[in-house]
Amino acid sequence: MSKYQISMEVEGPLAMWARPDTGSSPTSYPVPTWSAAKGLFESVAFFKDGSAWINPIRVEICKPVNKRSTDEVHYQKYMTNYGGPLRESSLIQKKASYQFSALAVSSPCYRLYAQIEKAAGQTWRQGNNPGHALQAIFERRLKKGQCYHTPCLGWSEFIPSYWGPLRDEKSESPTQTEVNTAINLNLVSVLKSVFDQHPNGKYKPGFQRGDDAWIRAGVFHYAE
C-alpha cells in the first residue's frame, strides 16, 4: 500500500511553540513540535475513529522568494494575561489574573509535510481505504479554505495570516515562498509528543536529541 502524502503552508505575525523547560515565561522553539504540526493538519481534517491519522514528517522554514536570506530566527516579546488554575484569589476579587511575558517567533512561515498512517491492527483494502479518503478530504478542504476549526500557530490567539496549499514555484499564488536554506540550528532537545502512541496513547513525553534535534538548511525532520 502506497503512502498517502499531504502538505500545507502556514504564515502569521507570531507563533508560540513553547519549550517545556522555559516555565512560566515561555520561549518558543523556532519550529512547531510534532504534536503542534499534527494539530495544524487536524484543524483541517481528521477521522475521529482513528482508522487513519496524520503523521507529520518534516517542516521547512520559509521566506518570500525575493527576500534576502538570513541565518537568524527572529523573536518578539509578547505579554498576555494568565487565566489558569493557579490564579491568586483575594477577598475582593476571587478570580484575579496576572500578566506574564513570553518570547514568540516573529513573522514565521512554514511548509508542513505529513503522511497518513493506519491505526494499529487496521487493514486497508480496495473499496475501504480510510487513508485515501482522509487525503482526499484534507486536500479538498485545504484548497477551498475550509477547516474543522480555525488553525492557530501554537497559542489560540496566534491566527495565521495565511494557511493553505504550498506557495512554491508551481503555485498560482501572487506571493511565492522558498525554503530559507541559511538557517542551521542545534536545538539540543525538542519535545516531540506527550503521548506514547497515536492514537489513544498514554501520557509519556518524548524528546528528540542529538542529530535529531538539528535544523539543517531550513529543514527540521521529525524523528520516527
Side-chain angles (χ1 to χ4, degrees):
M1 183 68 65
S2 61
K3 295 287 186 180
Y4 294 100
Q5 308 280 345
I6 55 175
S7 61
M8 67 183 299
E9 186 171 327
V10 291
E11 181 182 16
L14 292 170
M16 170 53 73
W17 322 109
R19 297 180 61 109
D21 57 346
T22 53
S24 60
S25 297
T27 296
S28 177
Y29 289 117
V31 292
T33 62
W34 181 90
S35 292
K38 186 171 184 285
L40 280 166
F41 281 110
E42 290 181 347
S43 68
V44 179
F46 70 99
F47 285 166
K48 292 183 179 180
D49 63 3
S51 57
W53 61 280
I54 297 172
N55 178 21
I57 55 177
R58 77 177 188 275
V59 56
E60 298 172 345
I61 302 175
C62 296
K63 65 178 184 63
V65 169
N66 296 322
K67 186 176 181 180
R68 182 177 63 88
S69 294
T70 174
D71 59 358
E72 296 180 348
V73 175
H74 296 283
Y75 291 86
Q76 179 175 321
K77 190 174 182 180
Y78 179 79
M79 299 294 295
T80 187
N81 291 322
Y82 175 79
L86 301 180
R87 291 176 294 187
E88 296 180 354
S89 61
S90 67
L91 295 176
I92 299 175
Q93 188 176 9
K94 292 184 178 180
K95 294 184 178 180
S97 61
Y98 64 88
Q99 284 191 322
F100 68 93
S101 63
L103 204 59
V105 179
S106 176
S107 302
C109 180
Y110 306 106
R111 292 179 187 168
L112 300 165
Y113 301 85
Q115 61 189 24
I116 297 174
E117 309 281 356
K118 65 181 70 175
Q122 285 278 342
T123 301
W124 294 348
R125 56 186 182 274
Q126 189 71 23
N128 181 21
N129 191 329
H132 184 272
L134 182 54
Q135 180 192 47
I137 293 170
F138 178 89
E139 291 179 345
R140 182 170 65 249
R141 287 185 177 180
L142 192 71
K143 186 176 181 180
K144 291 183 177 181
Q146 298 173 334
C147 58
Y148 178 75
H149 64 80
T150 303
C152 61
L153 300 177
W155 287 352
S156 59
E157 63 262 43
F158 294 159
I159 304 301
S161 56
Y162 173 84
W163 63 272
L166 303 185
R167 297 177 295 178
D168 55 17
E169 66 279 358
K170 300 177 183 178
S171 171
E172 297 179 358
S173 170
T175 301
Q176 294 188 343
T177 60
E178 62 184 1
V179 180
N180 187 352
T181 57
I183 296 178
N184 293 276
L185 294 171
N186 182 3
L187 305 182
V188 183
S189 180
V190 182
L191 176 68
K192 183 182 180 184
S193 173
V194 296
F195 301 106
D196 60 355
Q197 65 180 18
H198 308 276
N200 303 322
K202 296 181 180 179
Y203 178 75
K204 187 178 180 181
F207 292 81
Q208 296 183 215
R209 298 185 176 92
D211 289 342
D212 290 335
W214 273 88
I215 299 173
R216 290 187 170 90
V219 181
F220 182 76
H221 292 270
Y222 298 112
E224 293 291 337

